[in-house]
PDB file of all heavy atoms in Angstrom:
ATOM      1  N   LEU N 372     -10.485   8.357  -5.197  1.00  0.00           N
ATOM      2  CA  LEU N 372     -11.992   8.257  -5.034  1.00  0.00           C
ATOM      3  C   LEU N 372     -12.751   9.507  -5.260  1.00  0.00           C
ATOM      4  O   LEU N 372     -13.928   9.451  -5.369  1.00  0.00           O
ATOM      5  CB  LEU N 372     -12.366   7.760  -3.633  1.00  0.00           C
ATOM      6  CG  LEU N 372     -11.907   6.321  -3.303  1.00  0.00           C
ATOM      7  CD1 LEU N 372     -11.850   6.042  -1.767  1.00  0.00           C
ATOM      8  CD2 LEU N 372     -12.793   5.295  -4.021  1.00  0.00           C
ATOM      9  N   GLY N 373     -11.996  10.762  -5.245  1.00  0.00           N
ATOM     10  CA  GLY N 373     -12.718  11.958  -5.164  1.00  0.00           C
ATOM     11  C   GLY N 373     -12.962  12.331  -3.680  1.00  0.00           C
ATOM     12  O   GLY N 373     -13.024  11.468  -2.887  1.00  0.00           O
ATOM     13  N   ALA N 374     -13.181  13.651  -3.558  1.00  0.00           N
ATOM     14  CA  ALA N 374     -13.274  14.168  -2.120  1.00  0.00           C
ATOM     15  C   ALA N 374     -14.483  13.577  -1.304  1.00  0.00           C
ATOM     16  O   ALA N 374     -14.296  13.216  -0.122  1.00  0.00           O
ATOM     17  CB  ALA N 374     -13.330  15.721  -2.198  1.00  0.00           C
ATOM     18  N   ARG N 375     -15.643  13.576  -1.930  1.00  0.00           N
ATOM     19  CA  ARG N 375     -16.763  13.018  -1.072  1.00  0.00           C
ATOM     20  C   ARG N 375     -16.637  11.678  -0.645  1.00  0.00           C
ATOM     21  O   ARG N 375     -16.804  11.255   0.459  1.00  0.00           O
ATOM     22  CB  ARG N 375     -17.952  13.210  -1.910  1.00  0.00           C
ATOM     23  CG  ARG N 375     -18.383  14.627  -2.420  1.00  0.00           C
ATOM     24  CD  ARG N 375     -18.747  15.554  -1.327  1.00  0.00           C
ATOM     25  NE  ARG N 375     -19.047  16.905  -1.688  1.00  0.00           N
ATOM     26  CZ  ARG N 375     -19.214  17.939  -1.018  1.00  0.00           C
ATOM     27  NH1 ARG N 375     -19.062  17.909   0.314  1.00  0.00           N
ATOM     28  NH2 ARG N 375     -19.476  19.151  -1.543  1.00  0.00           N
ATOM     29  N   ARG N 376     -16.310  10.791  -1.619  1.00  0.00           N
ATOM     30  CA  ARG N 376     -16.105   9.368  -1.255  1.00  0.00           C
ATOM     31  C   ARG N 376     -14.898   9.157  -0.372  1.00  0.00           C
ATOM     32  O   ARG N 376     -14.933   8.213   0.462  1.00  0.00           O
ATOM     33  CB  ARG N 376     -15.939   8.572  -2.594  1.00  0.00           C
ATOM     34  CG  ARG N 376     -17.229   8.404  -3.403  1.00  0.00           C
ATOM     35  CD  ARG N 376     -16.994   7.295  -4.605  1.00  0.00           C
ATOM     36  NE  ARG N 376     -18.244   7.171  -5.381  1.00  0.00           N
ATOM     37  CZ  ARG N 376     -18.362   7.890  -6.502  1.00  0.00           C
ATOM     38  NH1 ARG N 376     -17.456   8.799  -6.968  1.00  0.00           N
ATOM     39  NH2 ARG N 376     -19.478   7.663  -7.271  1.00  0.00           N
ATOM     40  N   ALA N 377     -13.857   9.927  -0.518  1.00  0.00           N
ATOM     41  CA  ALA N 377     -12.685   9.793   0.379  1.00  0.00           C
ATOM     42  C   ALA N 377     -13.141  10.105   1.715  1.00  0.00           C
ATOM     43  O   ALA N 377     -12.787   9.361   2.697  1.00  0.00           O
ATOM     44  CB  ALA N 377     -11.662  10.701  -0.099  1.00  0.00           C
ATOM     45  N   LYS N 378     -13.797  11.100   1.997  1.00  0.00           N
ATOM     46  CA  LYS N 378     -14.275  11.525   3.359  1.00  0.00           C
ATOM     47  C   LYS N 378     -15.253  10.343   3.886  1.00  0.00           C
ATOM     48  O   LYS N 378     -15.197  10.044   5.104  1.00  0.00           O
ATOM     49  CB  LYS N 378     -15.110  12.815   3.245  1.00  0.00           C
ATOM     50  CG  LYS N 378     -14.104  14.031   3.142  1.00  0.00           C
ATOM     51  CD  LYS N 378     -14.899  15.341   3.001  1.00  0.00           C
ATOM     52  CE  LYS N 378     -14.017  16.461   2.736  1.00  0.00           C
ATOM     53  NZ  LYS N 378     -14.733  17.744   2.560  1.00  0.00           N
ATOM     54  N   GLU N 379     -16.092   9.828   3.041  1.00  0.00           N
ATOM     55  CA  GLU N 379     -16.889   8.652   3.492  1.00  0.00           C
ATOM     56  C   GLU N 379     -16.145   7.551   3.914  1.00  0.00           C
ATOM     57  O   GLU N 379     -16.466   6.901   4.955  1.00  0.00           O
ATOM     58  CB  GLU N 379     -18.004   8.393   2.443  1.00  0.00           C
ATOM     59  CG  GLU N 379     -18.984   7.361   2.831  1.00  0.00           C
ATOM     60  CD  GLU N 379     -19.992   6.988   1.791  1.00  0.00           C
ATOM     61  OE1 GLU N 379     -19.998   7.654   0.767  1.00  0.00           O
ATOM     62  OE2 GLU N 379     -20.843   6.054   2.073  1.00  0.00           O
ATOM     63  N   MET N 380     -15.241   7.097   3.104  1.00  0.00           N
ATOM     64  CA  MET N 380     -14.315   6.036   3.407  1.00  0.00           C
ATOM     65  C   MET N 380     -13.664   6.250   4.845  1.00  0.00           C
ATOM     66  O   MET N 380     -13.661   5.305   5.680  1.00  0.00           O
ATOM     67  CB  MET N 380     -13.243   5.756   2.422  1.00  0.00           C
ATOM     68  CG  MET N 380     -12.239   4.706   2.772  1.00  0.00           C
ATOM     69  SD  MET N 380     -10.875   4.516   1.610  1.00  0.00           S
ATOM     70  CE  MET N 380     -11.577   3.119   0.642  1.00  0.00           C
ATOM     71  N   LEU N 381     -13.137   7.403   5.081  1.00  0.00           N
ATOM     72  CA  LEU N 381     -12.418   7.740   6.331  1.00  0.00           C
ATOM     73  C   LEU N 381     -13.382   7.904   7.436  1.00  0.00           C
ATOM     74  O   LEU N 381     -13.124   7.396   8.569  1.00  0.00           O
ATOM     75  CB  LEU N 381     -11.552   8.979   6.105  1.00  0.00           C
ATOM     76  CG  LEU N 381     -10.479   8.755   5.091  1.00  0.00           C
ATOM     77  CD1 LEU N 381      -9.884  10.135   4.626  1.00  0.00           C
ATOM     78  CD2 LEU N 381      -9.326   7.923   5.681  1.00  0.00           C
ATOM     79  N   PHE N 382     -14.456   8.708   7.314  1.00  0.00           N
ATOM     80  CA  PHE N 382     -15.345   8.913   8.406  1.00  0.00           C
ATOM     81  C   PHE N 382     -16.103   7.751   8.900  1.00  0.00           C
ATOM     82  O   PHE N 382     -16.413   7.727  10.134  1.00  0.00           O
ATOM     83  CB  PHE N 382     -16.446  10.023   7.929  1.00  0.00           C
ATOM     84  CG  PHE N 382     -15.784  11.422   7.645  1.00  0.00           C
ATOM     85  CD1 PHE N 382     -16.617  12.424   7.116  1.00  0.00           C
ATOM     86  CD2 PHE N 382     -14.478  11.732   7.856  1.00  0.00           C
ATOM     87  CE1 PHE N 382     -16.136  13.642   6.905  1.00  0.00           C
ATOM     88  CE2 PHE N 382     -14.008  13.014   7.619  1.00  0.00           C
ATOM     89  CZ  PHE N 382     -14.795  13.935   7.111  1.00  0.00           C
ATOM     90  N   THR N 383     -16.433   6.829   8.055  1.00  0.00           N
ATOM     91  CA  THR N 383     -17.307   5.667   8.394  1.00  0.00           C
ATOM     92  C   THR N 383     -16.514   4.355   8.610  1.00  0.00           C
ATOM     93  O   THR N 383     -17.093   3.505   9.196  1.00  0.00           O
ATOM     94  CB  THR N 383     -18.389   5.458   7.396  1.00  0.00           C
ATOM     95  OG1 THR N 383     -17.785   4.977   6.156  1.00  0.00           O
ATOM     96  CG2 THR N 383     -19.187   6.703   7.133  1.00  0.00           C
ATOM     97  N   ALA N 384     -15.360   4.367   8.052  1.00  0.00           N
ATOM     98  CA  ALA N 384     -14.519   3.083   7.974  1.00  0.00           C
ATOM     99  C   ALA N 384     -15.235   1.936   7.245  1.00  0.00           C
ATOM    100  O   ALA N 384     -14.926   0.716   7.457  1.00  0.00           O
ATOM    101  CB  ALA N 384     -14.100   2.705   9.426  1.00  0.00           C
ATOM    102  N   ARG N 385     -16.240   2.244   6.521  1.00  0.00           N
ATOM    103  CA  ARG N 385     -17.088   1.179   5.879  1.00  0.00           C
ATOM    104  C   ARG N 385     -16.364   0.577   4.660  1.00  0.00           C
ATOM    105  O   ARG N 385     -15.329   1.187   4.138  1.00  0.00           O
ATOM    106  CB  ARG N 385     -18.411   1.633   5.515  1.00  0.00           C
ATOM    107  CG  ARG N 385     -18.521   2.492   4.190  1.00  0.00           C
ATOM    108  CD  ARG N 385     -19.899   2.636   3.642  1.00  0.00           C
ATOM    109  NE  ARG N 385     -20.027   3.360   2.446  1.00  0.00           N
ATOM    110  CZ  ARG N 385     -19.946   2.825   1.196  1.00  0.00           C
ATOM    111  NH1 ARG N 385     -19.703   1.511   1.058  1.00  0.00           N
ATOM    112  NH2 ARG N 385     -20.146   3.622   0.118  1.00  0.00           N
ATOM    113  N   ARG N 386     -16.718  -0.537   4.290  1.00  0.00           N
ATOM    114  CA  ARG N 386     -16.157  -1.252   3.087  1.00  0.00           C
ATOM    115  C   ARG N 386     -16.749  -0.625   1.783  1.00  0.00           C
ATOM    116  O   ARG N 386     -17.992  -0.528   1.665  1.00  0.00           O
ATOM    117  CB  ARG N 386     -16.448  -2.744   3.184  1.00  0.00           C
ATOM    118  CG  ARG N 386     -15.857  -3.396   4.471  1.00  0.00           C
ATOM    119  CD  ARG N 386     -16.290  -5.001   4.522  1.00  0.00           C
ATOM    120  NE  ARG N 386     -15.659  -5.624   5.653  1.00  0.00           N
ATOM    121  CZ  ARG N 386     -15.835  -6.864   5.814  1.00  0.00           C
ATOM    122  NH1 ARG N 386     -16.525  -7.582   4.930  1.00  0.00           N
ATOM    123  NH2 ARG N 386     -15.291  -7.423   6.917  1.00  0.00           N
ATOM    124  N   PHE N 387     -15.918  -0.415   0.844  1.00  0.00           N
ATOM    125  CA  PHE N 387     -16.280  -0.035  -0.536  1.00  0.00           C
ATOM    126  C   PHE N 387     -16.121  -1.273  -1.391  1.00  0.00           C
ATOM    127  O   PHE N 387     -15.073  -1.896  -1.386  1.00  0.00           O
ATOM    128  CB  PHE N 387     -15.385   1.145  -1.080  1.00  0.00           C
ATOM    129  CG  PHE N 387     -15.879   2.441  -0.590  1.00  0.00           C
ATOM    130  CD1 PHE N 387     -15.753   2.836   0.720  1.00  0.00           C
ATOM    131  CD2 PHE N 387     -16.469   3.298  -1.512  1.00  0.00           C
ATOM    132  CE1 PHE N 387     -16.167   4.169   1.066  1.00  0.00           C
ATOM    133  CE2 PHE N 387     -16.873   4.637  -1.135  1.00  0.00           C
ATOM    134  CZ  PHE N 387     -16.778   4.967   0.209  1.00  0.00           C
ATOM    135  N   THR N 388     -17.195  -1.591  -2.119  1.00  0.00           N
ATOM    136  CA  THR N 388     -17.195  -2.727  -2.911  1.00  0.00           C
ATOM    137  C   THR N 388     -16.359  -2.537  -4.282  1.00  0.00           C
ATOM    138  O   THR N 388     -16.033  -1.346  -4.582  1.00  0.00           O
ATOM    139  CB  THR N 388     -18.543  -3.215  -3.378  1.00  0.00           C
ATOM    140  OG1 THR N 388     -19.138  -2.212  -4.221  1.00  0.00           O
ATOM    141  CG2 THR N 388     -19.402  -3.419  -2.186  1.00  0.00           C
ATOM    142  N   ALA N 389     -15.974  -3.574  -4.893  1.00  0.00           N
ATOM    143  CA  ALA N 389     -15.257  -3.415  -6.232  1.00  0.00           C
ATOM    144  C   ALA N 389     -16.097  -2.623  -7.212  1.00  0.00           C
ATOM    145  O   ALA N 389     -15.520  -1.792  -7.954  1.00  0.00           O
ATOM    146  CB  ALA N 389     -14.968  -4.769  -6.751  1.00  0.00           C
TER     147      ALA N 389
END
Side-chain angles (χ1 to χ4, degrees):
L372 291 163
R375 301 289 183 192
R376 289 188 181 93
K378 289 176 182 177
E379 184 179 354
M380 172 182 270
L381 293 166
F382 293 174
T383 68
R385 80 168 179 87
R386 299 176 177 184
F387 277 68
T388 66

